[in-house]
Amino acid sequence: MTVPTLSLTAPVGPAGAPLVILGPSLGTSTILWEDVIPALAVRNRVVAWDLPGHGASAPADAPFSVADLADAVAEGARALADGPVSYAGVSLGGAVGLEFGLRHSELVDRLAIVASGAQLGDPAAWHERAATVRAQSTSVLIVPSAQRWFAPGSIERRPELSGRLLHALRDADAESYARCCEALADFDVRARLSDLRMPVLALWGEHDAVAPEAKAREIGDGVAHGRVSRLAGVAHLPPAEDPAATAAALAAFFGPASGSDGRDDDGRDDHEREQEQEQ
């Protein structure tokens, strides 16, 4: 396994502000976050990164693990920030976030895990998808991915961005995509969640069949300072489907009013506030 080279966008936001790093879902690119970044950049410097062979990142020339991706993100964090950063990632990007927190806790202030889990999917199914993509390219995934990614009505509400995301999938390097699938087949940090001591927010989409509520609650219950919140009306790509709600949830979690021990100004911990947030 090798640490791949990842492309990060130029930081957006006030100079000297805390750094927020945003990670992608498999098959997408940094455009997933483009309508969320302006809201987060009011108080933060914000960057997003692309998976190997996706968007602006070069194709992978060797196998890699989710942990290797986390190490690559850590390299970017060290290059861009003098202290701990906040991180949010969707699906595979969320899995990378969990490994980032486990492997580089000194670099992480807060983690937001969006539409993801501590383990995702069936290993055999990931290997099957990798073989399919190697044989037929990522174009074969456009229809099933659209069905998984978007809640009913999401494509109709945001046709331009939805189309660009599906084009990003079509344009992804097939070998790099396959290696991402193989990395996900081997990913499982369920037994290590309790090692995460920083505040962690697990966001799940109401219509997400890939990473449903149970995946988010497993994270929220497993970490030391976890909270779980639902995003209504979305499926597997909340930043694209409802950027305003996603940005609001992340801005509140990353904001200066939150304490590093998982308690907010009123003294209630994250689980005590959970039901209030979901109403």
Side-chain angles (χ1 to χ4, degrees):
M1 297 291 180
T2 58
V3 176
T5 300
L6 304 179
S7 174
L8 281 76
T9 59
V12 177
L19 184 69
V20 171
I21 300 178
L22 303 175
S25 177
L26 176 60
T28 70
S29 72
T30 58
I31 64 175
L32 174 64
W33 289 102
E34 66 179 25
D35 291 337
V36 172
I37 288 173
L40 294 182
V42 172
R43 293 183 175 178
N44 305 279
R45 286 188 306 140
V46 184
V47 301
W49 60 274
D50 280 321
L51 290 161
H54 294 61
S57 285
D61 57 8
F64 54 84
S65 65
V66 175
D68 292 327
L69 292 171
D71 289 348
V73 170
E75 290 179 1
R78 290 190 180 97
L80 292 169
D82 294 329
V85 306
S86 293
Y87 179 92
V90 178
S91 194
L92 175 51
V96 172
L98 292 172
E99 284 281 21
F100 182 34
L102 288 165
R103 295 172 67 83
H104 304 281
S105 59
E106 76 284 359
L107 298 179
V108 183
D109 181 41
R110 288 173 174 259
L111 284 176
I113 310 302
V114 184
S116 190
Q119 183 277 333
L120 291 166
D122 175 67
W126 285 121
H127 287 295
E128 181 180 351
R129 192 190 299 189
T132 297
V133 167
R134 285 188 171 108
Q136 302 182 50
S137 87
T138 55
S139 296
V140 73
L141 301 176
I142 290 177
V143 171
S145 293
Q147 295 169 344
R148 286 192 300 267
W149 284 358
F150 301 110
S154 286
I155 291 178
E156 291 76 12
R157 286 192 300 271
R158 313 203 74 217
E160 192 267 342
L161 183 58
S162 301
R164 289 171 62 207
L165 285 165
L166 292 169
H167 277 96
L169 171 62
R170 181 200 64 190
D171 295 340
D173 174 64
E175 181 61 25
S176 299
Y177 185 103
R179 287 175 169 164
C180 288
C181 292
E182 290 163 348
L184 280 166
D186 292 335
F187 171 72
D188 188 344
V189 297
R190 288 175 290 185
R192 300 163 59 203
L193 287 173
S194 61
D195 293 337
L196 290 168
R197 311 306 296 177
M198 71 287 294
V200 178
L201 171 65
L203 289 173
W204 60 282
E206 178 183 11
H207 300 287
D208 192 357
V210 179
E213 179 181 4
K215 292 290 186 182
R217 294 204 175 276
E218 183 174 49
I219 294 171
D221 292 342
V223 301
H225 303 293
R227 66 176 68 175
V228 179
S229 188
R230 182 190 68 158
L231 291 169
V234 302
H236 197 54
L237 298 184
E241 297 178 89
D242 194 340
T246 304
L250 294 178
F253 180 61
F254 293 150
S258 296
S260 62
D261 64 351
R263 288 182 175 267
D264 290 317
D265 289 343
D266 59 9
R268 290 176 292 171
D269 67 21
D270 298 321
H271 291 293
E272 290 169 333
R273 297 177 65 88
E274 175 184 307
Q275 294 301 319
E276 176 182 320
Q277 290 175 347
E278 293 189 1
Q279 290 176 354

